[in-house]
């Protein structure tokens, strides 16, 4: 098992990224870690550690994609960026997976363009995790694409269900919901109503429409939606959490610390599902702890061969259709 | 000035609704209050008060629309419902405005069908308030309609701006934003991109696209979106607030109380903008305090003649177009 880590992306790069990678390397001694990025900077950070695990190597990449850059332009202008080099390593099968806390847009675009989609998959989707009263609820698509057709929403449901079952125990006993403005199947746009029928037919534990507030009930393992709404929802949830945390810290510092357990940046990242490789998109504010979580999930997914399972299930259900 | 109050709608009806109405009637002695609903029930609640303000009268309505009922069917099957009677009073100019904490769907449907839209207005929109670091941000449309065209989004922006300027001081110094997945004007669906250009042309303090987390920054007085996303966002925000409050109360009861200031049910309701009348939709969990807030806003909007202002501005901008 090998994993590539983009050490240049994220608000606390490279220090926190490398810290998380070194801690993980000490834990997963059978896994090879490739730190990708500007060699000089990486070596400088590493020199502060008394010992470096033997299962870590450095791969130089001279460019850094900044978060404010236009993803596709940045990829074109910076062919030797750390993100692209990570994707290349996956494409060339030198590693099994990669993680990046850099530009989400660049990670998504480079993964889709270079790795391509899995057989039968029509669109990639970002799956992100939302804390609920009973474990996490996956939200897919959190912004990889906009303007989903019903078949895309069905494929998100299939891919997201597989992910949740593999990584979050008990998900098989909870429901898959279609994000909508009401419970009745006649609610929503035409696309949503058509998707409802597809999901009812092909998703075993389809629980019908899920309304915004029900995401937190713990009844749903997965909420399916178009990337336009998923992106806005995710950012809104994050903004609201941060806002409430700030307000509470103003009143009581200890309570603010308690709320950090709802900090979206700690969950170990979102997964780009549907591409021919394993790509974990970490939060821009990722600390070493978040990076460690992301590495754990990436290795877990690679070991459990998530993409083979997705391909199989998509092919099987398309044949049925 | 006269106001109709649906005493039968909401989780704490009729007690809390009537309590809020009586408190308001004592405060606004020049305003006439019409309590609409089942006369027997209203009289029973009122009998617990030592004195009843003279500016309160009761208007009997035998039916109650339950929240689980299909709005349009309920209106058809229950012609003497408290909601419809309130709308009738507005239509017949017997009152200037009405409030209801009952079925949102029934309130919206009956208002649109019976009152009709203001001249030039193509679609009604629900404006709701979200607390931010610097006052409230209005969100329109929170679910009156789905599938907005660019012109609808422009009209939401015009109507919402007028409301925010009238009711929330300082709104004129903040921005109107178009809810989107990124800041650049090329982001989003075709509808959103076309709306961007319309808003840039016709809205003076248009601040471009607003992303989900930016709603809470306090920079925006208004966020404009389609009712599909607005409804899901609103419910999601409410669900997240409730979830966090519960989690915090588990750890510290006092802190839970502090968070009640972010309780969506306290803000005094949402406004249905664009209809030929003033309709305030209170939260289902409205307490007497929320009802008082809603009454205050309804009277304020009627006095400031919000609908005449909306008609004028819509006509002026359509002419220009």
């Amino acid at each position: 098992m090998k994993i590539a880590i983009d050490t240049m992306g994220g608000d606390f790069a490279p220090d926190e990224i490398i810290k998380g990678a070194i801690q993980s390397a000490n834990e997963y001694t059978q896994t090879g870690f490739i730190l990708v990025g500007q060699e000089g900077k990486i070596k400088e950070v590493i020199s502060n550690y008394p010992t470096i695990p033997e299962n870590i190597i450095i791969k130089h990449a001279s460019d850094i994609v900044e978060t404010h850059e236009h993803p596709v332009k940045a990829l074109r202008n910076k062919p030797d960026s750390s993100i692209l080099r990570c994707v290349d390593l996956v494409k060339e099968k030198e590693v099994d997976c990669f993680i990046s806390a850099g530009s989400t847009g660049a990670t998504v675009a480079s993964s889709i363009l270079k790795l391509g989609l899995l057989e039968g998959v029509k669109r990639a989707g970002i799956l992100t995790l939302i804390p609920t009263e009973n474990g996490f609820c996956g939200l897919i698509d959190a912004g990889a694409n906009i303007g989903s057709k019903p078949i895309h929403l069905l494929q998100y449901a299939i891919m997201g269900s597989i992910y949740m079952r593999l990584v979050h125990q008990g998900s098989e006993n909870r429901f898959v919901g279609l994000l909508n403005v009401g419970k009745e199947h006649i609610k929503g746009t035409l696309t949503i109503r058509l998707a409802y029928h597809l999901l009812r037919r092909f998703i075993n534990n389809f629980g019908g429409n899920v309304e915004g507030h029900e995401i937190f009930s713990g009844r749903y393992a997965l909420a399916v939606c178009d990337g336009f709404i998923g992106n806005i929802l995710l950012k809104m949830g994050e903004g609201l959490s941060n806002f409430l945390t700030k307000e509470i810290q103003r009143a009581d510092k200890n309570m603010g610390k308690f709320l950090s357990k709802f900090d979206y940046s700690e969950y170990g990242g979102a997964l780009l599902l549907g591409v021919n490789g394993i790509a974990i998109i970490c939060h821009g504010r990722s600390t070493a702890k978040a990076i460690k979580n992301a590495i754990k999930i990436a290795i877990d997914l690679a070991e459990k061969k998530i993409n083979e399972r997705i391909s199989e299930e998509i092919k099987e259900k398309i044949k049925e259709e």
Side-chain angles (χ1 to χ4, degrees), chain A:
Chain A
M1 180 69 57
K2 281 185 185 167
I3 181 167
I5 290 150
D6 171 11
T7 60
M8 300 286 115
D11 298 352
F12 308 123
D15 299 59
E16 287 289 311
I17 314 295
I18 292 173
K19 186 178 171 188
I22 290 179
Q23 288 177 357
S24 295
N26 280 318
E27 194 173 328
Y28 299 94
T29 52
Q30 301 305 308
T31 299
F33 288 75
I34 304 183
L35 305 185
V36 181
Q38 293 175 347
E39 196 167 8
K41 280 194 186 164
I42 296 174
K43 284 191 168 161
E44 197 187 314
V45 175
I46 277 187
S47 69
N48 297 319
Y49 289 80
T51 55
I52 304 303
E54 283 181 6
N55 51 337
I56 280 188
I57 61 168
I58 298 169
K59 183 165 177 78
H60 179 68
S62 57
D63 295 331
I64 300 173
V65 175
E66 307 289 347
T67 46
H68 65 263
E69 287 183 274
H70 186 281
V72 178
K73 279 185 203 160
L75 294 172
R76 201 183 301 135
N77 299 334
K78 295 178 170 178
D80 195 29
S81 69
S82 52
I83 289 179
L84 270 178
R85 287 288 167 248
C86 283
V87 175
D88 283 339
L89 288 170
V90 174
K91 189 181 164 77
E92 292 150 16
K93 310 263 185 232
E94 289 192 35
V95 299
D96 301 275
C97 46
F98 84 95
I99 71 166
S100 176
S103 159
T104 298
T107 306
V108 170
S110 58
S111 298
I112 293 173
L113 294 172
K114 287 216 159 190
L115 304 177
L117 297 176
L118 290 167
E119 200 189 330
V121 171
K122 294 176 187 293
R123 272 194 181 178
I126 295 174
L127 184 141
T128 188
L129 295 173
I130 293 174
T132 80
E133 294 190 16
N134 175 27
F136 286 105
C137 177
L139 180 79
I140 183 169
D141 170 32
N145 284 289
I146 61 175
S148 311
K149 296 200 169 70
I151 182 71
H152 302 136
L153 294 170
L154 171 63
Q155 293 199 341
Y156 291 157
I158 294 171
M159 296 192 293
S161 294
I162 293 172
Y163 170 84
M164 292 304 293
R165 286 200 306 268
L166 285 182
V167 177
H168 296 277
Q169 280 199 327
S171 293
E172 61 280 6
N173 301 322
R174 296 188 291 146
F175 292 108
V176 173
L178 181 64
L179 207 57
N180 203 341
V181 295
K183 300 303 287 177
E184 307 90 333
H185 66 92
I186 53 151
K187 288 278 183 179
T189 59
L190 179 62
T191 299
I192 291 291
R193 281 177 281 152
L194 291 170
Y196 183 97
H197 291 285
L198 277 182
L199 266 71
R200 195 174 55 178
R201 181 165 164 204
F202 289 111
I203 304 295
N204 288 334
N205 52 339
F206 180 51
N209 292 329
V210 53
E211 294 190 78
H213 56 286
E214 294 175 317
I215 295 172
F216 303 95
S217 67
R219 288 188 68 229
Y220 296 86
L222 190 71
V224 177
C225 64
D226 177 53
F228 186 78
I229 191 161
N231 177 282
I232 294 176
L233 264 188
L234 181 69
K235 288 178 182 164
M236 194 251 191
E238 194 175 330
L240 179 54
S241 284
N242 289 343
F243 169 57
L244 290 176
T245 305
K246 256 195 236 175
E247 291 284 328
I248 287 164
Q249 269 174 334
R250 232 172 260 170
D252 182 336
K253 285 209 170 174
N254 291 320
M255 215 56 204
K257 274 179 210 151
F258 164 80
L259 271 175
S260 72
K261 94 177 214 205
F262 302 103
D263 186 342
Y264 279 49
S265 64
E266 295 265 309
Y267 304 156
L271 180 69
L272 182 63
L273 280 167
V275 292
N276 196 6
I278 291 171
I280 305 260
I281 304 156
C282 299
H283 198 285
R285 291 203 317 272
S286 286
T287 57
K289 188 180 160 194
I291 296 297
K292 274 178 68 182
N293 285 339
I295 290 171
K296 183 166 171 269
I297 290 172
I299 293 174
D300 194 28
L301 291 172
E303 280 175 352
K304 290 173 177 165
K305 301 191 185 303
I306 183 171
N307 286 336
E308 290 178 24
R309 288 172 188 241
I310 288 175
S311 283
E312 276 168 29
E313 199 165 323
I314 294 267
K315 262 189 274 181
E316 192 184 308
K317 289 194 168 156
I318 284 172
K319 203 167 58 187
E320 206 178 317
E321 165 82 315

